[in-house]
Amino acid sequence: MLRSRRWCKISIVDALALHRFHFAFTVTYHYLFPQLTMGLALLIVVLKTMGLRTGEDAYHRSARFWARIFAVNFAVGVVTGIPMEFQFGTNWAPFSKAAGGVIGQTLAMEGVFSFFLESTFLGLFLFGERRLGPKGHWWAAFMVFLGSWLSGFFIIATNAWMQHPVGYVIAANGQIALSSFRALMLNPWTLWEYLHNMAGSVVTASFVMASVGAFYLLGGKHKPYARIFVRLGVTAGLVASLLLPLPTGDGQGRNVARWQPATLAAMEGLFETVEGAPLAILGQPDVARKRLDNPLEVPRMLSFLTYQRWMAEVRGLDAFPEDQWPDNIPLLYYSYHIMVGLGTIFIAVMALSAWKLWRGRLFRCRPLLWILMLMLPFPYIANTAGWITAEVGRQPWVVHGLVRTAEGASYNVSAGNAMFTLIGFMGVYGVLSILFLFLVYREIEHGPEPSAPPEELEFAVKR
Amino acid sequence: MEALWFCLVAIMLAAYVVLDGFDLGAGIVHFLVARNERQRRMVLRSIGPVWDGNEVWLLAAGGTLYFAFPGLYASSFSGFYLPLMLVLWLLILRGVSIEFRNHIDSPVWKPLWDAGFMLSGGLLAVFFGAALGNVIRGVPLDSSGKFFLPLWTNFRVSGELGVLDWYTLSVGVLAFVALVQHGALWVALKTEEEVSRRAANVAAAAWFAVVVMTVLVTILTMRVQPLVQANLSAHAWGYVFPLLAVGGLLAILGRGHGRRPRMGFLGSCAYLIGMLTSAAFGIFPYVLPARPDPSLGLTIYNTAAGAYGLRVGLWWWIPGMLLALAYFVFTYRHFGGKVRPEGGGY
C-alpha cells in the first residue's frame, strides 16, 4: 500500500516535470525566431524609408536581402508557433479550463487582429514589389511590422495577466471569469514588459544586421551594403540597448518588487531581509544553507534601485513562506544575472561602435568589427535568459497567486506520452535548425547583389 | 449567447476547412496533375500567396474556441493528445515543404519537399476527418470531464475506444476523397492547359468516391450516434444542412467537364460546409458527446466561459473578423484569375 502510494506520487512528479520541460523547450525554441522577426520588421521599414527618401537603390536591395532572411525566419516562427497555442490545451488542460475565459481573449485577439494582417501583407511584401510600386511596397512592409508588433502585444498581455492577474472574478464553479476587459487590456504589468521585450527584440535584429555587415567588411565583400548594415545595426542597436535598463527594465523591476517580492529576492539572491540591501554582481546561491556564496556586492545599491532610498528595507526570501518561493532559485538567479550582464556588455559594445562610427573610423577598425561579428549569439542568449527570469520567477504559480503550476498540468496525459511528444519535438526542431541555418547561410553567402537579371528579380525575392 | 458562439466557432472552423482544404487537396493531387517543374510551380503558385492566411483560420478558430469554451478546449485537447501532436508535426512539415522548396534549385532538394507536401496534405486530411469522427462518435468522458484516448485499440466502436476505429477511419477516408476533389477543383479553376485538364479528370474520379463515401458515412453515423437522428426528427429545418451538401455535389456534377470550373469549386465549398454544419447540427447542444454514458457529455452550456467574457468578446470579434474578411477579399482579388507559369512568386 505504502509502496503503491509512493509510486503514484513519483509518477505525478515525473509527469509534471515533463509537461513543464515540454513547454519550456518548445517555447524557448520558438522565441528564437519571433525576436528576430519583430526587430527585423522594424529595421526593414527603416531601410525602405531611407530608400524612398534618398532614392538610392542600395537601400532597396538591402531591404530585399533582409526580406529573404526574414521570410525563412518567419516561416520557422510560424510553424513552431502553432504548437504553442495548442499546448495550453494538450499539456495544461486544468490551467486552460480555469483561466481560458480570460487568456483565451488575448490569444484569440492575436489570431484575429495580427495573424490575418501579417499573413496577408507578408505575401504582398514578398511578391508584390513591382505591382505595388515603391510607396505601396513601403506600406506592405509597414503592415508586416504592425502585425508582428501587435502579435507581440497580445502575447505579452497574456503573459502579463499570468504574472499579475487583474480584471477577474472567481466563478462558483472555480473557473476564473473575466470581469473587466478594460483592466485586462490596461494591465499595468503589460506596458513595461512589452516595451522591455520589444527593445530586446530590436537589439537582436540590430546585432544580427551589424554582425552580417561586419562579416562582409572583414571578408572584403559587398562593401556598400555592409556599411549600410553596420551603420543601421549600430545606430538602432545603441538606442535599443540603452532602452533596456532605463526606463523599460527599471519599470519592469519595480513591478516585480511591488507584486512579486519573493521573486525579486530570489532573482537578487537576497535570503535575509535587510535595510540598505546590497546588489549582488556575482556569487552562487546556496539554497540549502540560505546564503550567497562568494558574493561580489555593491553596498546598498539594491535598496536604492528598488526604492530610491539607500537605507530602504528590502524583503529577503526569509520574509516569505517557503511554499511561495520560486522552485528553482539558482536558475532564476543565474538567468537574471546573465541577462543583466549581457545587457551591460551590449551597451558598451554599441556605444564604442557608435563613437567610432561617428568619428568615421569604424569600418577600418578590424578588432571592433570582429567583436561585432562574434556578438551574434549573445542577444539571443540574453532574450532567452530574460524570459527564463520571467517564467521561472513566476513559479510556483502558473497564474500568480491563483493557480499553482502543479495544479495546472494535464495528468490525464501520462508521463510516457508526454515524453514521446517531447522527443518528437526535439527531433523535428533539430532538423528545422539544420535547415534554417543552411538556408540562411546560403542567403548570407549569396549576399545582397542580385544574381538574376532585373526582370527575374522578383523570382529571387521569394518567401 | 453560448449558442451564438457555437455558431461563430463552427463558421470559423468551416472557413478553415474550405480554405485550407484546397491547399491540402492541392498538395495531395499535385503529383497526379503536374508532370514537370513548370507545371508543379503552377500548382504551388495557385496556393502560394494564400495558404498561410488560410492556415490562420485554424489558429483564430482555436483561439476563439479557447476563450468561448475553455472547458471544451481543455478536455478535448488533452484527451486527443497524441493525434493533435501528430497534426502539429504534419502542419510543420506542410509549411516547411511549401516555404523551403524553391530556395534551392536541385533535383534532390525539390522532390524531397514535393513528397513532404503530398504526404502532409494526405495525412492531415485523414486526421482531420478522423477527428470529426471522434467528436461525432463520442469519447469516454469521466465525471470531471476528462478522458484520454490511445491512437487505436481494437478498431471497434465499443469497449475500450481508440482515436482510430472503423467508424472514424471511414470519416477520415471521406475527408481524404473530399479534399482530393476540393483541391483538384481549385487547381482546375486556377490553372490552364494540361494541368487544369488533368485536375478536372482527378476531380471527376474523386466525385464518385465522395458520393459513395458520403452515403456510407451517413448510414454509419446514424447507427453510431443516435443523437443525429433525434435532432433531425425534432427540428425538421435541420435538413437544410445535408441538402446543402447534396446540392453542392450536384453543382460539381453540373459544372460540365471543366466548362464551368467556378461552379464546380463553389459546389465543393457548399458540399464541405453542408457536411460540417450537418455534423454540428446533429450533435447540438453537445460539443463532445460521451459514451458509454451520454449524460457525461460536454455541452456548450457546461463548457462555456462566463457571460461577461462572451458578451465583451463580440465587441472585438465582429470588427476583427470584418477586417480579416477585407484582407481576404483584397488578397483573393489581387491574386485573382488564372496563375501564369512565368513571372513572380513561387
Side-chain angles (χ1 to χ4, degrees):
Chain A
M1 187 63 205
L2 194 74
R3 264 187 70 157
S4 81
R5 276 232 313 265
R6 207 177 131 83
W7 179 84
C8 179
K9 196 174 170 209
I10 287 173
S11 82
I12 280 185
V13 171
D14 282 354
L16 176 63
L18 278 164
H19 285 306
R20 286 181 68 180
F21 190 62
H22 201 283
F23 201 91
F25 171 75
T26 47
V27 81
T28 304
Y29 186 84
H30 167 64
Y31 194 63
L32 295 175
F33 300 93
Q35 60 177 296
L36 180 63
T37 298
M38 295 185 293
L40 197 52
L42 175 68
L43 297 189
I44 288 176
V45 172
V46 174
L47 284 173
K48 293 296 301 178
T49 309
M50 284 156 74
L52 275 185
R53 282 239 173 127
T54 62
E56 278 179 41
D57 207 28
Y59 286 114
H60 290 297
R61 282 187 187 163
S62 298
R64 272 177 225 138
F65 168 76
W66 285 105
R68 287 199 292 272
I69 289 175
F70 183 91
V72 179
N73 191 71
F74 185 85
V76 181
V78 167
V79 297
T80 57
I82 299 169
M84 302 321 306
E85 185 181 303
F86 281 70
Q87 275 182 76
F88 285 122
T90 51
N91 298 71
W92 298 94
F95 157 66
S96 286
K97 192 173 175 180
V102 183
I103 63 164
Q105 294 261 354
T106 41
L107 287 175
M109 287 173 86
E110 186 195 22
V112 168
F113 287 101
S114 44
F115 289 159
F116 281 124
L117 181 72
E118 251 181 328
S119 61
T120 304
F121 286 94
L122 186 67
L124 288 170
F125 174 65
L126 294 173
F127 299 117
E129 184 160 3
R130 255 185 313 177
R131 246 190 282 190
L132 291 167
K135 283 239 172 77
H137 197 236
W138 185 90
W139 273 105
F142 180 79
M143 294 307 246
V144 171
F145 155 73
L146 186 69
S148 66
W149 281 53
L150 264 181
S151 166
F153 175 79
F154 288 119
I155 290 301
I156 296 284
T158 308
N159 185 263
W161 188 83
M162 291 163 69
Q163 302 281 358
H164 177 57
V166 289
Y168 66 90
V169 286
I170 305 222
N173 59 3
Q175 288 186 16
I176 306 167
L178 187 67
S179 69
S180 167
F181 182 72
R182 214 182 120 85
L184 174 66
M185 285 293 123
L186 300 178
N187 187 346
W189 196 287
T190 308
L191 176 70
W192 292 122
E193 190 183 359
Y194 180 62
L195 293 177
H196 192 59
N197 185 70
M198 299 321 281
S201 168
V202 177
V203 165
T204 296
S206 309
F207 270 92
V208 168
M209 192 172 272
S211 175
V212 171
F215 172 68
Y216 286 153
L217 285 176
L218 289 169
K221 285 187 298 188
H222 313 297
K223 280 190 181 159
Y225 304 101
R227 290 198 193 104
I228 291 176
F229 298 169
V230 171
R231 206 178 296 131
L232 180 54
V234 167
T235 315
L238 179 66
V239 174
S241 306
L242 286 173
L243 289 174
L244 283 177
L246 275 174
T248 65
D250 181 57
Q252 175 71 9
R254 283 192 216 183
N255 280 344
V256 174
R258 185 164 166 199
W259 286 304
Q260 296 183 354
T263 306
L264 180 80
M267 277 159 62
E268 303 284 0
L270 188 69
F271 286 93
E272 280 170 32
T273 305
V274 281
E275 289 178 1
L279 183 74
I281 307 288
L282 291 174
Q284 298 81 38
D286 183 339
V287 180
R289 292 198 200 135
K290 301 195 169 99
R291 65 170 201 210
L292 196 66
D293 292 339
N294 320 312
L296 176 67
E297 294 173 329
V298 183
R300 296 179 189 172
M301 196 62 177
L302 182 58
S303 287
F304 180 75
L305 287 178
T306 315
Y307 299 109
Q308 288 72 52
R309 282 182 289 117
W310 293 105
M311 288 311 290
E313 184 187 86
V314 181
R315 278 180 292 170
L317 280 165
D318 61 354
F320 308 96
E322 285 197 26
D323 72 340
Q324 291 185 16
W325 290 13
D327 55 11
N328 196 336
I329 291 168
L331 178 61
L332 174 57
Y333 171 90
Y334 290 125
S335 53
Y336 170 66
H337 280 78
I338 288 171
M339 172 188 78
V340 172
L342 285 175
T344 313
I345 294 172
F346 297 159
I347 294 175
V349 170
M350 282 307 183
L352 185 64
S353 307
W355 183 68
K356 290 254 183 195
L357 184 70
W358 180 60
R359 301 297 303 256
R361 292 203 302 248
L362 178 61
F363 301 135
R364 278 169 288 135
C365 181
R366 291 182 73 87
L368 200 50
L369 290 177
W370 269 100
I371 290 175
L372 277 178
M373 186 185 86
L374 292 174
M375 284 302 285
L376 181 84
F378 293 99
Y380 287 99
I381 296 172
N383 270 289
T384 305
W387 270 106
I388 292 175
T389 308
E391 297 301 280
V392 175
R394 197 188 56 233
Q395 304 303 326
W397 309 95
V398 62
V399 181
H400 197 262
L402 290 182
V403 186
R404 280 183 178 266
T405 307
E407 299 163 351
S410 307
Y411 293 110
N412 52 331
V413 177
S414 67
N417 280 309
M419 190 185 281
F420 170 71
T421 56
L422 174 62
I423 293 171
F425 271 109
M426 287 178 160
V428 172
Y429 287 2
V431 174
L432 266 185
S433 308
I434 296 169
L435 289 168
F436 173 79
L437 291 175
F438 175 60
L439 288 175
V440 168
Y441 183 75
R442 272 177 59 97
E443 294 296 349
I444 293 174
E445 180 69 25
H446 176 265
E449 290 284 354
S451 58
E455 65 271 19
E456 285 280 317
L457 197 66
E458 252 184 284
F459 221 72
V461 187
K462 75 149 308 287
R463 40 200 233 136
Chain B
M1 193 54 98
E2 289 90 350
L4 175 64
W5 278 105
F6 174 81
C7 295
L8 296 181
V9 173
I11 289 170
M12 292 175 91
L13 281 173
Y16 171 72
V17 172
V18 165
L19 292 171
D20 207 26
F22 69 71
D23 303 328
L24 297 172
I28 305 171
V29 302
H30 82 121
F31 275 118
L32 291 175
V33 302
R35 296 283 157 82
N36 56 37
E37 172 62 22
R38 187 169 159 272
Q39 296 178 346
R40 237 167 242 142
R41 229 169 165 132
M42 279 169 75
V43 175
L44 269 174
R45 203 164 288 168
S46 75
I47 64 163
V50 293
W51 81 267
D52 190 22
N54 295 342
E55 195 181 76
V56 170
W57 283 94
L58 181 66
L59 287 172
T64 307
L65 183 72
Y66 193 11
F67 99 83
F69 303 103
L72 172 66
Y73 194 82
S75 177
S76 59
F77 278 37
S78 61
F80 293 128
Y81 185 80
L82 291 172
L84 262 176
M85 291 290 171
L86 293 177
V87 162
L88 291 175
W89 296 340
L90 289 169
L91 284 173
I92 292 176
L93 177 63
R94 194 272 298 256
V96 165
S97 297
I98 300 176
E99 291 301 319
F100 286 179
R101 178 189 190 270
N102 287 344
H103 276 269
I104 298 174
D105 201 4
S106 140
V108 179
W109 181 263
K110 286 189 169 173
L112 181 71
W113 297 118
D114 287 340
F117 184 35
M118 184 189 73
L119 188 74
S120 57
L123 286 175
L124 278 170
V126 174
F127 265 89
F128 284 142
L132 184 63
N134 272 275
V135 172
I136 295 170
R137 181 203 58 196
V139 295
L141 286 159
D142 65 16
S143 53
S144 64
K146 287 198 211 95
F147 71 101
F148 184 85
L149 281 184
L151 275 179
W152 62 77
T153 49
N154 51 13
F155 293 96
R156 273 189 243 146
V157 193
S158 56
E160 200 192 333
L161 294 171
V163 170
L164 297 177
D165 57 36
W166 54 262
Y167 172 69
T168 59
L169 270 177
S170 63
V171 184
V173 172
L174 171 59
F176 180 82
V177 291
L179 291 190
V180 164
Q181 168 181 266
H182 195 53
L185 286 168
W186 170 259
V187 174
L189 172 68
K190 292 293 286 184
T191 57
E192 286 169 324
E193 308 157 18
E194 249 182 293
V195 179
S196 178
R197 235 182 355 262
R198 280 201 213 107
N201 289 338
V202 170
W207 188 85
F208 290 101
V210 170
V211 171
V212 171
M213 284 311 297
T214 305
V215 172
L216 183 71
V217 166
T218 307
I219 295 168
L220 291 176
T221 302
M222 295 300 179
R223 292 187 50 174
V224 166
Q225 186 49 273
L227 208 57
V228 179
Q229 186 80 57
N231 264 347
L232 281 173
S233 321
H235 311 280
W237 60 268
Y239 279 104
V240 295
F241 301 120
L243 282 176
L244 179 65
V246 172
L249 283 177
L250 293 176
I252 300 170
L253 197 64
R255 81 201 145 97
H257 211 77
R259 275 191 308 263
R260 287 188 292 271
R262 185 181 290 265
M263 178 173 166
F265 178 71
L266 291 179
S268 182
C269 294
Y271 167 75
L272 290 175
I273 293 171
M275 291 301 276
L276 290 168
T277 47
S278 302
F281 174 84
I283 60 169
F284 188 86
Y286 286 92
V287 276
L288 193 60
R291 66 170 45 223
D293 181 0
S295 69
L296 295 174
L298 298 181
T299 65
I300 57 170
Y301 305 108
N302 65 17
T303 58
Y308 170 79
L310 293 182
R311 215 168 47 239
V312 83
L314 283 178
W315 283 99
W316 56 258
W317 193 90
I318 293 171
M321 290 319 287
L322 287 176
L323 265 178
L325 213 61
Y327 302 147
F328 268 75
V329 170
F330 179 71
T331 311
Y332 279 78
R333 288 178 76 109
H334 191 84
F335 295 104
K338 306 256 183 201
V339 292
R340 288 179 306 276
E342 316 59 41
Y346 280 80

